[in-house]
């Protein structure tokens, strides 16, 4: 059989158990079928340390140039990792670096297999959470105040003129928080969400609290609506999908009663909280895929979970672990499919879809990794990661 050919994508390797899965996925289900063409960047913590983290920046540039990247989970160093890896310094999160460089929005979508029951049984289609990953409380300044005093917001223009608002006249001890967002960032967010909804042909929701926050959240609502009306309305009509704004509390109630199958755009804090609720409700972090979409149309695919450290330490002791490769596998199929779409490479798109189908039907027939067994409605046969991948490859052949 001739292997499928492709244009290059950026490949970002990572750490620990997911690095092991990465190699197995390539060897078992990709390389036998596709003439894999990647620009390889080793983002393992050891290599980030050797290159003073320059490799992360080079990888970000490669994604910008090639438009498509696929990333393995990586360690974000903390004090413990400093000693474990004898690091020169405490490097920033690679995902933070990539996100800042690509100015992207992160979309998280659960992978749904028949037989795996979500905790909300009505959710038969995936709900994708799009989280605005800039500003708000994550870039806020805060003060704890003592005793009597007046708290104000002051804006000083370059000519020295000032606009001020009283926050509160304190008679007792208190706390104050000042947060911001940028209109250009909200515009990018709205564009990424609209493009993503079009690419998956699903309705787009956006929710905030503009009835209470009449300037801050109202700006979010208005900017989103303006970008949609001016730039996407016609394309949405053509694709047969809709854009819908509602209050966040109304959206939460509607979501629970829905069947899923939509993209839900949220402000930073709402997205932080609700994406964890939604991934837990769909069953497993190991079945959650993630893609960073930049407003200029770059796509970086990855799993939503981390490097699965606890399994890695068992692997190092010689154990064959039953770590779920699905989210990492779907990062690869997402990237290959997107490469195919951009280049009109139909065989590549078809392969990505067949691989996803083979992986899902393997689970649906009862063969899976340990984390899924408790969600499965029948008798599950639990296998190690390698056996699971080989079963998928057999189906593909
Ligand atoms: P984690 O790697 O997501 O794992 C947490 C736990 O979730 C695991 O111990 C495992 O539970 C379960 N799990 C996650 N993925 C699984 C899979 N594919 N198959 C089976 N079980 C899975 O989170 P963490 O332990 O908090 O973080 C480990 C490292 O990952 C940290 O160094 C962190 O910095 C990094 N991280 C990276 C990213 C990223 O690159 N995107 C994201 C998050 C964290 P059991 O042990 O109970 O089986
Ligand atoms: Mg969170």
């Amino acid at each position: 059989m001739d292997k499928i050919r492709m244009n290059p994508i950026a490949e970002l390797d990572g750490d620990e158990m997911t690095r092991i899965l990465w190699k197995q996925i390539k060897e078992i289900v990709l390389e036998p079928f596709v003439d894999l063409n990647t620009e390889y960047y080793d983002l393992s913590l050891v290599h980030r340390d050797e290159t003073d983290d320059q490799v992360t920046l080079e990888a970000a540039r490669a994604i910008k140039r090639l438009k498509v990247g696929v990333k393995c989970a990586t360690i974000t160093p903390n004090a413990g990792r400093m000693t474990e890896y004898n690091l020169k310094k405490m490097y920033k999160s690679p995902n933070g670096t990539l996100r800042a460089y690509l100015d992207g929005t992160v979309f998280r979508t659960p992978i749904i297999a028949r037989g795996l029951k979500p905790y909300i049984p009505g959710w038969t289609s995936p709900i994708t959470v799009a989280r605005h990953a800039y500003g708000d409380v994550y870039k806020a300044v805060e003060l704890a105040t003592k005793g009597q005093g007046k708290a104000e917001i002051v804006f000083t223009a370059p000519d020295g003129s000032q606009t001020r608002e009283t926050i509160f006249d304190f008679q007792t001890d208190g706390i104050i928080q000042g947060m911001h967002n940028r209109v250009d960032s909200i515009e990018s967010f709205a564009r990424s969400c609209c493009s993503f909804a079009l690419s998956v042909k699903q309705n787009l929701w956006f929710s905030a609290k503009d009835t209470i926050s009449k300037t801050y959240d109202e700006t979010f609502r208005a900017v989103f609506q303006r970008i949609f009306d001016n730039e996407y309305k016609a394309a949405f009509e053509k694709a047969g999908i809709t854009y819908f704004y509602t209050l966040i509390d109304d959206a939460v109630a509607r979501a629970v009663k829905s069947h899923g199958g939509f993209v839900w755009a949220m402000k930073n804090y709402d997205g932080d909280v609700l994406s964890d609720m939604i991934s837990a409700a769909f069953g497993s972090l190991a079945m959650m895929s993630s893609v960073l979409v930049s407003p200029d149309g770059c796509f970086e695919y990855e799993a939503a979970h981390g490097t699965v450290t606890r399994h890695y330490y068992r692997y190092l002791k010689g154990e064959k672990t039953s770590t779920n490769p699905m989210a990492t596998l779907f990062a690869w199929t997402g990237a290959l499919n997107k490469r195919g779409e951009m280049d009109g490479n139909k065989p590549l798109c078809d392969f990505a879809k067949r691989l996803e189908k083979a992986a899902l039907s393997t689970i649906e027939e009862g063969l899976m990794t340990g984390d899924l067994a408790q969600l499965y409605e029948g008798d599950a046969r639990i296998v190690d990661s390698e056996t699971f991948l080989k079963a998928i490859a057999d189906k593909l052949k």
Side-chain angles (χ1 to χ4, degrees):
M1 195 178 72
D2 275 352
K3 288 194 195 180
I4 298 159
R5 302 177 62 95
M6 60 181 280
N7 287 328
I9 60 174
E11 173 186 351
L12 285 59
D13 207 345
D15 288 300
E16 299 194 314
M17 202 60 221
T18 37
R19 189 180 178 92
I20 309 296
L21 291 178
W22 195 259
K23 190 161 173 280
Q24 289 177 343
I25 289 170
K26 285 173 65 178
E27 285 176 1
I28 301 171
V29 295
L30 298 176
E31 283 164 353
F33 308 98
V34 180
D35 201 355
L36 267 195
N37 182 359
T38 70
E39 260 183 39
Y40 180 84
Y41 296 88
D42 182 2
L43 264 60
S44 65
L45 189 48
V46 172
H47 194 238
R48 275 180 277 152
D49 194 40
E50 282 165 4
T51 62
D52 299 314
D53 210 21
Q54 281 309 300
V55 65
T56 309
L57 211 56
E58 283 169 27
R61 289 195 196 105
I63 297 171
K64 191 123 207 152
R65 181 162 40 79
L66 300 171
K67 297 280 182 209
V68 183
V70 58
K71 178 180 172 290
C72 179
T74 46
I75 294 169
T76 299
N78 56 15
R81 300 295 197 171
M82 291 290 290
T83 353
E84 185 183 352
Y85 284 84
N86 192 20
L87 300 177
K88 286 186 264 183
K89 59 185 256 202
M90 200 182 303
Y91 301 99
K92 285 193 185 146
S93 144
N95 286 342
T97 305
L98 293 167
R99 222 172 284 162
Y101 188 86
L102 296 165
D103 180 25
T105 300
V106 176
F107 298 85
R108 271 181 160 199
T109 310
I111 301 160
I112 292 187
R114 263 178 286 126
L116 297 181
K117 244 205 155 14
Y119 289 100
I120 297 186
W123 285 1
T124 48
S125 295
I127 296 172
T128 296
V129 172
R131 171 180 170 191
H132 183 215
Y134 178 83
D136 298 354
V137 69
Y138 302 86
K139 283 248 189 288
V141 289
E142 306 188 325
L143 278 183
T145 59
K146 280 273 166 226
Q148 202 177 358
K150 184 160 89 164
E152 292 179 296
I153 306 184
V154 182
F155 175 76
T156 310
D159 68 1
S161 66
Q162 293 192 327
T163 319
R164 56 182 67 223
E165 276 290 336
T166 301
I167 300 171
F168 196 66
D169 264 318
F170 284 104
Q171 304 300 323
T172 62
D173 294 355
I175 43 177
I176 322 169
Q177 183 182 67
M179 61 185 198
H180 80 283
N181 222 298
R182 292 181 4 215
V183 169
D184 63 345
S185 174
I186 304 169
E187 289 171 343
S188 294
F189 173 53
R191 287 193 181 99
S192 298
C193 292
C194 291
S195 310
F196 185 88
L198 277 174
S199 80
V200 295
K201 293 197 174 48
Q202 285 182 340
N203 294 337
L204 174 63
W205 297 16
F206 177 49
S207 54
K209 193 74 182 178
D210 61 302
T211 46
I212 298 298
S213 170
K214 289 185 192 315
T215 300
Y216 200 100
D217 279 25
E218 166 53 22
T219 300
F220 267 89
R221 190 205 60 75
V223 168
F224 221 103
Q225 189 69 48
R226 166 168 57 79
I227 296 291
F228 172 73
D229 287 341
N230 294 346
E231 300 176 27
Y232 293 93
K233 200 170 180 188
F236 268 52
E237 275 165 16
K238 203 170 151 207
I241 58 173
T242 56
Y243 168 66
F244 165 65
Y245 173 82
T246 189
L247 289 169
I248 178 79
D249 36 358
D250 179 48
V252 168
R254 281 173 191 257
V256 170
K257 289 185 274 181
S258 78
H259 298 297
F262 57 95
V263 180
W264 188 357
M266 295 183 212
K267 290 176 59 203
N268 211 346
Y269 179 82
D270 300 337
D272 186 352
V273 175
L274 286 173
S275 68
D276 282 12
M277 193 277 278
I278 285 174
S279 58
F282 270 107
S284 167
L285 195 57
M287 294 289 275
M288 187 61 73
S289 67
S290 178
V291 56
L292 176 75
V293 182
S294 73
D296 58 345
C298 299
F299 292 76
E300 184 227 336
Y301 293 83
E302 65 169 339
H305 60 76
T307 58
V308 212
T309 311
R310 295 205 316 173
H311 292 213
Y312 182 59
Y313 292 153
R314 299 209 313 260
Y315 169 86
L316 289 181
K317 288 188 191 140
E319 189 182 322
K320 279 198 163 195
T321 68
S322 185
T323 315
N324 190 341
M326 285 294 280
T328 305
L329 178 65
F330 271 62
W332 273 100
T333 54
L336 295 180
N337 183 56
K338 186 52 76 179
R339 175 80 285 158
E341 268 179 28
M342 284 182 181
D343 304 340
N345 183 346
K346 191 165 178 304
L348 191 62
C349 294
D350 287 347
F351 170 75
K353 281 174 203 138
R354 267 191 293 128
L355 177 49
E356 289 183 357
K357 221 181 233 169
L360 288 173
S361 61
T362 302
I363 294 174
E364 286 164 0
E365 287 164 18
L367 193 86
M368 63 197 73
T369 48
D371 56 308
L372 298 180
Q374 67 210 8
L375 300 170
Y376 189 65
E377 287 174 312
D379 282 332
R381 213 183 116 211
I382 298 174
V383 291
D384 61 76
S385 314
E386 197 180 336
T387 308
F388 178 68
L389 287 167
K390 283 185 173 152
I392 297 172
D394 285 344
K395 259 190 202 305
L396 269 178
K397 283 172 195 150

